[in-house]
Amino acid sequence: DKLVTGVQTCALPIYPVLYTEMQDKLTTLRDAIYYYMKNKDFAFLIDPDNAETIREDLVVAINHYLVQGELKNLYFDQYLLQ
């Protein structure tokens, strides 16, 4: 099984300080997402019933690295597992 992740920041220019922080920490945030997903069972990740749990867990993981504000929600524009 192969895991493919991608991170983009979007719709944050209304919070310019947080947007800048996320841009500056993009590699770290990608890493956090990658390690979260890498440590989950493939069956868990592909089960649509787990989408909300994954979303909530990733918000917590990302917020762990942010000091200028926090994410309230996370939207997937692409979710690819191979």
Side-chain angles (χ1 to χ4, degrees):
D1 297 333
K2 183 178 175 186
L3 171 65
V4 179
T5 62
V7 176
Q8 292 181 316
T9 56
C10 63
L12 290 176
I14 58 172
Y15 303 106
V17 174
L18 182 58
Y19 179 79
T20 299
E21 181 181 14
M22 290 185 73
Q23 291 296 331
D24 291 346
K25 295 180 177 179
L26 196 55
T27 301
T28 301
L29 300 178
R30 282 183 177 149
D31 233 24
I33 292 168
Y34 172 78
Y35 282 107
Y36 169 83
M37 297 184 84
K38 181 179 177 225
N39 288 308
K40 294 294 180 188
D41 186 65
F42 189 76
F44 175 83
L45 292 173
I46 63 171
D47 185 343
D49 291 337
N50 295 325
E52 189 59 32
T53 300
I54 293 168
R55 181 185 323 277
E56 291 168 358
D57 289 350
L58 289 175
V59 166
V60 170
I62 291 168
N63 282 337
H64 177 76
Y65 294 96
L66 301 177
V67 295
Q68 301 296 322
E70 66 179 22
L71 292 182
K72 301 290 185 202
N73 205 344
L74 179 68
Y75 300 97
F76 299 109
D77 65 349
Q78 193 174 52
Y79 189 78
L80 176 64
L81 297 168
Q82 296 178 332

